[in-house]
Short mmCIF file of all heavy atoms in Angstrom, two decimals:
data_model
loop_
_atom_site.label_atom_id
_atom_site.label_comp_id
_atom_site.label_asym_id
_atom_site.label_seq_id
_atom_site.Cartn_x
_atom_site.Cartn_y
_atom_site.Cartn_z
N ALA L 1584 158.79 68.39 96.05
CA ALA L 1584 159.41 67.13 95.58
C ALA L 1584 160.77 66.91 96.23
O ALA L 1584 161.21 65.78 96.41
CB ALA L 1584 159.53 67.13 94.08
N ALA L 1585 161.44 68.02 96.57
CA ALA L 1585 162.76 67.89 97.22
C ALA L 1585 162.59 67.52 98.71
O ALA L 1585 163.58 67.25 99.39
CB ALA L 1585 163.50 69.23 97.13
N GLY L 1586 161.36 67.54 99.21
CA GLY L 1586 161.12 67.14 100.58
C GLY L 1586 160.95 68.30 101.56
O GLY L 1586 160.94 68.12 102.76
N ILE L 1587 160.82 69.52 101.02
CA ILE L 1587 160.58 70.67 101.89
C ILE L 1587 159.10 70.68 102.31
O ILE L 1587 158.21 70.46 101.50
CB ILE L 1587 160.89 71.99 101.13
CG1 ILE L 1587 162.27 71.96 100.46
CG2 ILE L 1587 160.73 73.20 102.07
CD1 ILE L 1587 163.45 71.95 101.39
N ASP L 1588 158.86 70.93 103.59
CA ASP L 1588 157.50 71.00 104.11
C ASP L 1588 156.74 72.15 103.45
O ASP L 1588 157.28 73.25 103.30
CB ASP L 1588 157.49 71.26 105.62
CG ASP L 1588 157.85 70.02 106.42
OD1 ASP L 1588 157.86 68.91 105.80
OD2 ASP L 1588 158.16 70.16 107.61
N ALA L 1589 155.47 71.90 103.15
CA ALA L 1589 154.65 72.91 102.48
C ALA L 1589 154.61 74.22 103.28
O ALA L 1589 154.66 75.30 102.71
CB ALA L 1589 153.24 72.38 102.28
N HIS L 1590 154.53 74.13 104.61
CA HIS L 1590 154.38 75.36 105.38
C HIS L 1590 155.64 76.21 105.39
O HIS L 1590 155.62 77.35 105.82
CB HIS L 1590 153.96 75.04 106.82
CG HIS L 1590 155.08 74.56 107.68
ND1 HIS L 1590 155.46 73.23 107.74
CD2 HIS L 1590 155.93 75.24 108.51
CE1 HIS L 1590 156.50 73.12 108.59
NE2 HIS L 1590 156.80 74.32 109.05
N LYS L 1591 156.76 75.66 104.88
CA LYS L 1591 157.98 76.47 104.75
C LYS L 1591 158.08 77.16 103.40
O LYS L 1591 159.05 77.87 103.14
CB LYS L 1591 159.20 75.57 104.95
CG LYS L 1591 159.35 75.04 106.37
CD LYS L 1591 160.70 74.32 106.49
CE LYS L 1591 160.85 73.76 107.90
NZ LYS L 1591 162.00 72.84 108.00
N ILE L 1592 157.10 76.91 102.52
CA ILE L 1592 157.19 77.43 101.17
C ILE L 1592 156.22 78.57 100.95
O ILE L 1592 155.06 78.50 101.40
CB ILE L 1592 156.90 76.31 100.13
CG1 ILE L 1592 157.87 75.15 100.33
CG2 ILE L 1592 156.97 76.84 98.71
CD1 ILE L 1592 157.48 73.88 99.56
N GLN L 1593 156.68 79.61 100.29
CA GLN L 1593 155.82 80.73 99.92
C GLN L 1593 155.88 80.88 98.41
O GLN L 1593 156.96 80.74 97.82
CB GLN L 1593 156.34 81.99 100.62
CG GLN L 1593 155.99 83.32 99.97
CD GLN L 1593 156.57 84.47 100.77
OE1 GLN L 1593 156.29 84.65 101.94
NE2 GLN L 1593 157.38 85.31 100.13
N ILE L 1594 154.74 81.22 97.78
CA ILE L 1594 154.74 81.53 96.36
C ILE L 1594 154.50 83.00 96.16
O ILE L 1594 153.49 83.54 96.68
CB ILE L 1594 153.61 80.76 95.61
CG1 ILE L 1594 153.83 79.27 95.64
CG2 ILE L 1594 153.50 81.24 94.15
CD1 ILE L 1594 152.76 78.48 94.91
N SER L 1595 155.39 83.66 95.43
CA SER L 1595 155.11 85.01 94.97
C SER L 1595 155.51 85.02 93.49
O SER L 1595 156.67 85.03 93.15
CB SER L 1595 155.88 86.07 95.77
OG SER L 1595 157.27 85.84 95.70
N SER L 1596 154.50 84.93 92.65
CA SER L 1596 154.73 84.62 91.23
C SER L 1596 154.08 85.67 90.33
O SER L 1596 153.05 86.24 90.69
CB SER L 1596 154.14 83.23 90.93
OG SER L 1596 154.17 82.96 89.56
#
Side-chain angles (χ1 to χ4, degrees):
Chain L
I1587 309 291
D1588 285 346
H1590 78 274
K1591 291 187 181 170
I1592 303 168
Q1593 156 179 303
I1594 295 181
S1595 57
S1596 172

